[in-house]
Amino acid sequence: MKKIAYILVLAILLVACGETKISTEIKVSNIDELNTAINEAKPGDNIVLANGVYKDVEIKFRGQGTKENPITIKAETAGKVSIEGQSYLKFGGEYLVVDGLHFKNGFSPSSAVVDFKISNKDTLDEIAYHCKLTNSVIEDFNKPKRDNSDLWVQFWGRHNELSNCYIAGKTNRGPTVRISIEGIESINNYHQIVNNHFGPRPVKGGPSGETIQLGNSYTSMSPSHTMVANNLFEECNGEVEVISSKTNFNEFRNNVFYKSEGSLVTRHGNYCTIDGNYFIGDGENENYGGIRIINTGHWVTNNYFFNLKGTSFRSPLAVMNGIPKSPLNRYNQVTDVVVAYNTYVNCSSPWQFGVGTNIAQADVLPKSEIRSARAIRTTVANNVIYNDKGLESIVVENDKADGVLFKNNVVDNQGVTFKDFDGGITTASLELKKIADNFIIPIGIPSEVKAFNGFDFNTIEKDLLGTSRNENNSIGAILGVDVANPNILDKSKYGTSWYSNEVEAKDPVIHTVTKAEDLQTKINEATNGDIIELAKGVYSLNKSVVINKTITIQSQGTDKAHLVFSGEENTPLFSLESKGKLNVNNVILKGNASNYAFASLKENMANHFGLSVLNTEISEFGYVLKVYKESFSERITFENTSISNCENGIELSEEINDKGDYNTEYLTIKNCNFNNVKASVIDYYRGGYDESTIGGNLLVTNSTFTNCGAKEKNKRLLNHNGIVNVNITKNTFKNNPVQFVSILWGAKNNVESENNIINSGQIKTEENLVMKLMY
C-alpha cells in the first residue's frame, strides 16, 4: 500500500513539474500492423518496427504527440529495418519522431522520399510541426529516369528536424533536401538540419542537383529562419551549388564542406548568416568552391578556407554582379554585406567581385539578362590570407569593386605586389602552424594591426572555435595560436550511430576467360573492381555483354584478344547499365557495321555509368559509343586507341531539352587515331543558356583525324555545342571533308592551340554563341 501511494505521489509531482513521461511500446512487423498502430497511437507511444525488409510501403505517419511525449516509430535495431521498393514516409501532425530506418534499393513513387506533409490540405494532421527524422539513412534511392524529379527530404510546416542522418547517392533531377515555404503555415519555420553526414552526390550533368535548397525563386522574399549546422558535406558534387539559399534569415553554422565541387550560395533571399564553416579542398581540383554571394544583408564571418583552387563561380568568396531591377528568378544586386574575420590558406583566388558579369554578351542576350549591377555598401574587414605562392591579385575584379570597403585585412603574399584598395589590405610576414592535416593556421599577425570595429561588429562574439572575442580580439577566424584540433573530419561526429560510408579497400580478383560463352558468366561472378582477363584468341559474340558493376576487361599478356560482335542492328557489344563502369584495355573490337561497340540503356539509367577505353582497336561499328537521353557518365575516356571504318563515332547529344543537361562531365580523347568515321565523330551537346551550369569538359589532344565527317550534315567535324570547357590541342586534322573542324564558344572557356589542319576546313571562334534561354 505504501508503495502504491509513493508511485501516486511521484506521478503527481511529475505532473506538477510538467515532465510526465508516458511510454507504451507497440511492436509491429508489417505495414498493416504499422498502419493500425499509427491510427491508434497516443502521446508517448513507441511503435517498434521489427527487423526486416519492408517493400513497397507508403507510410503516412499521422498523429498528435506532445513535446514531453512524442509519438515515435523506431527500428527494433537501428539499421536493421530497410525500406525498399516503391516506398515513402510522410509526416502529418505534431511531435512525431522516426528513428533508425534505412531507405535503399528503391525509389519514391511520390514527389519525395520523406515528406513533412501528407497532402495539400492545410489542416493540422496533414502538415508536420515539431516532427523529426533522425538516425536514418537514405542512399541511392533514385527514380528510374534521370529527368524524373523528386526530393529525398522535403520540409513543410514549422519546427521540423533532420538530424544525425546519412544521405548519399542522388543522381536524378532535384535537390536532395528542400525547404518548401509556399503557404503561411510554412514560413517563419525555424527548421533544423543538424549533425548530418551528406555523403557523395555524383555530378548530375546540369542544373537542379543541389544537396540542400532552401525555398525557390518565387518565395525568395519570405522569411524561413532555417538552421543548417554541424553537418559534413563530403563530395557533394551534384552541381555548382551545394547549398542554394533562396529565402530570408537562414543560418549556416559550423558545417564542413570537404572536397565538394560547388559552393554555399545565397542564390535568392536576404540576411543569411554564414558563420564558423570549413571549406576544404585538395590543392588541385579547381571545382571545389567556397561561398558565392547574391542579394542583400548577409554576414560571412569566422569561416576557414583551405587549399581551394576554384575561381569565378567557385572562388572561396565569389561576389556576383546583379541584374538591374532583376525579376525574382534571376540575380539581385549585392548590397549591405559584411565579410569579416575569415581565414584563407593557400587559395588561388580568395576574393572575386563582379562574378558573372556578361556585358560583353549584350548582342545575344536581352537587356533583362545583363548582369551589370556591381556590389555596393559591402564591407570586407579583419580577414587573414596566407599564400605559399604569391598571387598577382588578391581581389579579382571581373567588374569594378568600387562599392566595397576594405579595412584591416592582412595578407602574406610572399612579396608579390598587388592592389591594396586604399590600404585596406596590408602585407605581413606570417607563419603557418599545423593543427591537423586540413587545419593549418597563419600566426604572427603584427600587434599593431587592430580589428576594424564596423557597425554591429560587436555582435560577432566568438571565433571559429568558439573562443570569446570580448577580450584580446584579433583579426582572422581563429584567436590565439595554442588551439586544439577540432577534428572536423572525424565522421563519427556526423550522421547515424550505426552506419559508416568507409569502404575497406580490397585487391582485385583476376578472372580468366578462354572462350566467348564464359565471358558474361565470369562478369556475373565478379565483384566491383575485379579484372576479366581474356586469353589470346578470337571471341565471337552475338549477344550484348551486360556491364552493371565496376569491371576491367583486358587481354592476358601482350597479344590482343579479338572480340567480334555479330549482334543485331543497333545493339551494343557492351551494354552499359546503371552502375556499370567499364575499363577496356588492350583488346580488338570489331562489329558488323550496323551494331554498336558501347551503349547505355535507352531508359531506366537510375545511376551513372562509366567508360574508359585504352590501347584498343575499334572498327566496323555503326556507333563506337551511343549514349541515350537521361544517361550520364562522370567520365568517358578514349586513350591510345584507334577507331576506323565506323559509320558514327562518339555520340553524346540526346539531351536536347535545352535545360542545361548533358551526358558526361568529362570527355577525354588522347593519343587516338580516327580514320574514316563518317558522322558524329565527336558529338557532345549541352543546350540552354544557363550560367549556373559550368560544365561539361572536352579535351581532344595529340590525336589524328583522317577522312572523317563525310556524312556529317552540318559539315562540322567536332560538335560540342554549348559545352563550357573545351580544349583542342596538338592534333592533326587531315583530308576531312568538312567546313569546320570546330566552332568554339569564345565567351566561355573554349580554346585551341598547336593544331595541324590539312584540307579539313577551319577552326572558328564565335564570341557570342546564340543559346536558347532557359528562363
Side-chain angles (χ1 to χ4, degrees):
M1 188 72 181
K2 288 181 180 178
K3 186 175 181 181
I4 295 172
Y6 172 79
I7 293 172
L8 288 172
V9 170
L10 180 61
I12 291 169
L13 288 172
L14 288 173
V15 170
C17 295
E19 296 179 355
T20 303
K21 300 291 182 182
I22 305 170
S23 180
T24 301
E25 186 171 290
I26 305 157
K27 191 169 183 179
V28 301
S29 57
N30 59 56
I31 188 63
D32 291 334
E33 292 177 356
L34 175 60
N35 287 335
T36 299
I38 290 172
N39 290 336
E40 297 177 354
K42 297 178 178 61
D45 282 358
N46 187 12
I47 303 169
V48 178
L49 271 174
N51 293 343
V53 176
Y54 294 77
K55 190 171 183 180
D56 299 332
V57 293
E58 299 180 358
I59 303 172
K60 296 179 180 179
F61 188 11
R62 287 185 178 90
Q64 296 296 322
T66 67
K67 183 177 181 180
E68 293 78 17
N69 294 291
I71 302 170
T72 299
I73 297 176
K74 188 173 184 178
E76 178 183 12
T77 304
K80 295 294 181 66
V81 172
S82 61
I83 309 298
E84 303 185 13
Q86 297 189 42
S87 301
Y88 61 65
L89 165 67
K90 296 178 183 288
F91 291 89
E94 292 185 291
Y95 295 103
L96 310 176
V97 178
V98 173
D99 184 343
L101 305 186
H102 192 174
F103 292 83
K104 62 180 182 178
N105 300 328
F107 65 94
S108 171
S110 182
S111 60
V113 179
V114 176
D115 208 342
F116 286 89
K117 181 169 75 170
I118 292 177
S119 74
N120 289 324
K121 298 178 182 178
D122 59 2
T123 56
L124 187 60
D125 61 346
E126 297 294 315
I127 299 176
Y129 302 90
H130 300 283
C131 295
K132 176 166 66 174
L133 175 68
T134 190
N135 195 34
S136 296
V137 169
I138 309 174
E139 61 173 344
D140 296 340
F141 215 69
N142 291 297
K143 297 275 193 184
K145 292 187 176 183
R146 177 188 180 211
D147 285 353
N148 285 358
S149 181
D150 73 347
L151 306 159
W152 281 7
V153 181
Q154 181 165 222
F155 282 83
W156 299 92
R158 292 180 176 178
H159 300 285
N160 297 313
E161 179 178 312
L162 175 70
S163 62
N164 297 97
C165 291
Y166 177 78
I167 300 177
K170 193 172 196 295
T171 56
N172 64 304
R173 179 178 288 273
T176 307
V177 177
R178 176 186 284 158
I179 307 295
S180 295
I181 65 170
E182 291 92 343
I184 193 170
E185 66 278 357
S186 294
I187 64 172
N188 290 310
N189 53 68
Y190 296 94
H191 295 313
Q192 302 274 313
I193 300 174
V194 294
N195 303 319
N196 301 288
H197 181 177
F198 293 97
R201 174 161 189 175
V203 176
K204 178 186 167 293
S208 197
E210 304 94 331
T211 297
I212 298 178
Q213 183 187 78
L214 299 95
N216 60 43
S217 303
Y218 299 103
T219 60
S220 61
M221 293 298 107
S222 300
S224 181
H225 298 280
T226 294
M227 173 68 77
V228 180
N230 303 310
N231 302 286
L232 172 61
F233 296 87
E234 180 188 18
E235 298 180 22
C236 293
N237 302 336
E239 60 143 88
V240 71
E241 299 180 8
V242 178
I243 295 178
S244 184
S245 181
K246 297 184 174 183
T247 45
N248 292 340
F249 306 114
N250 298 313
E251 297 185 37
F252 305 94
R253 296 185 182 274
N254 308 115
N255 301 287
V256 177
F257 298 82
Y258 179 62
K259 294 184 178 179
S260 289
E261 295 186 351
S263 302
L264 192 171
V265 182
T266 61
R267 181 63 181 88
H268 300 301
N270 306 310
Y271 311 114
C272 287
T273 299
I274 304 174
D275 182 82
N277 303 281
Y278 298 82
F279 298 84
I280 309 297
D282 63 357
E284 296 180 5
N285 189 322
E286 296 179 359
N287 292 330
Y288 299 149
I291 297 170
R292 180 154 55 96
I293 298 295
I294 306 114
N295 280 66
T296 290
H298 311 301
W299 283 63
V300 179
T301 56
N302 292 320
N303 300 288
Y304 178 76
F305 306 82
F306 180 69
N307 267 356
L308 299 177
K309 299 303 175 183
T311 61
S312 188
F313 277 66
R314 286 182 165 121
S315 299
L317 177 71
V319 178
M320 292 197 66
N321 265 18
I323 297 170
K325 299 180 181 179
S326 175
L328 285 174
N329 67 331
R330 306 307 297 122
Y331 285 86
N332 282 303
Q333 185 177 22
V334 173
T335 72
D336 306 293
V337 166
V338 171
V339 179
Y341 295 111
N342 302 285
T343 293
Y344 304 78
V345 176
N346 292 331
C347 296
S348 294
S349 182
W351 298 332
Q352 287 215 10
F353 288 84
V355 171
T357 183
N358 58 358
I359 298 171
Q361 294 174 268
D363 290 345
V364 295
L365 294 174
K367 187 177 180 180
S368 61
E369 283 293 314
I370 302 301
R371 294 188 293 274
S372 59
R374 301 192 288 268
I376 58 173
R377 300 191 303 275
T378 290
T379 300
V380 178
N382 304 339
N383 301 286
V384 175
I385 296 174
Y386 180 96
N387 300 309
D388 278 342
K389 183 178 180 181
L391 305 175
E392 291 184 3
S393 298
I394 301 300
V395 177
V396 175
E397 293 181 277
N398 299 277
D399 198 351
K400 290 181 180 179
D402 52 5
V404 182
L405 174 68
F406 294 89
K407 297 291 289 187
N408 298 22
N409 301 285
V410 167
V411 176
D412 187 337
N413 202 42
Q414 306 300 326
V416 177
T417 58
F418 57 87
K419 183 178 177 181
D420 67 3
F421 289 84
D422 297 323
I425 309 173
T426 61
T427 59
S429 181
L430 307 177
E431 296 180 3
L432 290 181
K433 181 175 181 179
K434 184 175 180 179
I435 308 301
D437 286 343
N438 293 294
F439 190 49
I440 302 173
I441 64 174
I443 61 174
I445 297 169
S447 58
E448 61 269 19
V449 178
K450 305 298 181 184
F452 172 69
N453 188 21
F455 182 77
D456 262 356
F457 275 38
N458 60 301
T459 62
I460 310 171
E461 296 179 342
K462 296 181 180 180
D463 77 346
L464 172 68
L465 302 175
T467 303
S468 174
R469 290 189 177 276
N470 292 332
E471 298 179 6
N472 301 317
N473 192 20
S474 181
I475 69 172
I478 304 103
L479 293 175
V481 297
D482 296 321
V483 300
N485 181 1
N487 294 311
I488 58 172
L489 294 178
D490 176 2
K491 294 182 182 179
S492 68
K493 296 167 62 175
Y494 316 94
T496 71
S497 62
W498 52 270
Y499 182 91
S500 172
N501 72 338
E502 297 290 342
V503 178
E504 189 173 329
K506 73 174 188 69
D507 295 328
V509 175
I510 297 176
H511 307 261
T512 301
V513 174
T514 59
K515 50 187 179 180
E517 53 266 34
D518 290 344
L519 178 56
Q520 186 69 67
T521 300
K522 291 294 185 181
I523 291 172
N524 294 343
E525 293 173 355
T527 60
N528 278 322
D530 283 357
I531 298 171
I532 307 296
E533 281 199 345
L534 302 174
K536 180 181 177 180
V538 177
Y539 297 76
S540 297
L541 300 162
N542 58 18
K543 291 184 179 179
S544 296
V545 177
V546 174
I547 306 296
N548 55 15
K549 64 190 69 171
T550 300
I551 207 82
T552 295
I553 297 176
Q554 63 187 34
S555 296
Q556 187 179 67
T558 56
D559 292 326
K560 293 180 178 179
H562 289 61
L563 276 68
V564 179
F565 184 50
S566 59
E568 294 180 3
E569 183 180 5
N570 303 329
T571 63
L573 169 54
F574 292 106
S575 177
L576 303 170
E577 298 192 353
S578 181
K579 295 188 177 181
K581 297 183 179 180
L582 174 63
N583 303 299
V584 174
N585 187 19
N586 198 41
V587 297
I588 296 172
L589 309 178
K590 187 175 181 179
N592 65 7
S594 66
N595 51 29
Y596 307 161
F598 309 95
S600 67
L601 294 180
K602 291 183 178 180
E603 57 183 14
N604 295 335
M605 290 291 287
N607 280 280
H608 295 354
F609 73 95
L611 179 63
S612 175
V613 182
L614 309 176
N615 309 304
T616 292
E617 300 172 31
I618 302 172
S619 64
E620 308 293 338
F621 285 98
Y623 279 90
V624 175
L625 171 63
K626 176 73 170 177
V627 177
Y628 292 98
K629 182 174 173 56
E630 299 186 278
S631 299
F632 186 80
S633 170
E634 187 165 346
R635 294 182 183 275
I636 295 173
T637 300
F638 288 82
E639 186 171 346
N640 298 322
T641 290
S642 68
I643 297 172
S644 61
N645 300 318
C646 293
E647 289 297 312
N648 297 275
I650 299 165
E651 185 182 47
L652 304 105
S653 62
E654 292 209 1
E655 296 294 355
I656 56 175
N657 58 7
D658 290 343
K659 295 294 184 181
D661 295 323
Y662 43 100
N663 290 120
T664 185
E665 190 68 22
Y666 296 95
L667 175 59
T668 301
I669 312 296
K670 186 176 182 181
N671 299 325
C672 292
N673 289 311
F674 290 75
N675 183 44
N676 193 30
V677 179
K678 297 181 179 64
S680 298
V681 181
I682 296 174
D683 196 352
Y684 181 20
Y685 181 83
R686 183 192 71 85
Y689 180 78
D690 173 30
E691 69 290 324
S692 66
T693 301
I694 56 179
N697 300 267
L698 172 63
L699 173 64
V700 182
T701 183
N702 290 302
S703 296
T704 300
F705 298 79
T706 307
N707 297 322
C708 293
K711 293 185 178 180
E712 190 60 67
K713 293 180 180 179
N714 68 2
K715 298 298 180 181
R716 195 183 306 178
L717 190 69
L718 308 181
N719 287 277
H720 44 81
N721 190 80
I723 301 302
V724 174
N725 304 295
V726 175
N727 188 0
I728 302 172
T729 182
K730 298 179 181 177
N731 304 287
T732 296
F733 302 95
K734 185 177 180 180
N735 296 332
N736 300 289
V738 294
Q739 184 178 2
F740 297 105
V741 167
S742 164
I743 296 180
L744 301 172
W745 190 3
K748 297 296 180 179
N749 188 29
N750 284 204
V751 296
E752 66 91 12
S753 62
E754 301 181 62
N755 295 293
N756 185 21
I757 302 175
I758 304 168
N759 192 29
S760 298
Q762 61 177 313
I763 296 179
K764 177 185 177 183
T765 297
E766 288 188 3
E767 287 299 326
N768 294 322
L769 187 68
V770 177
M771 299 284 283
K772 181 179 178 181
L773 286 174
M774 292 172 53
Y775 303 98

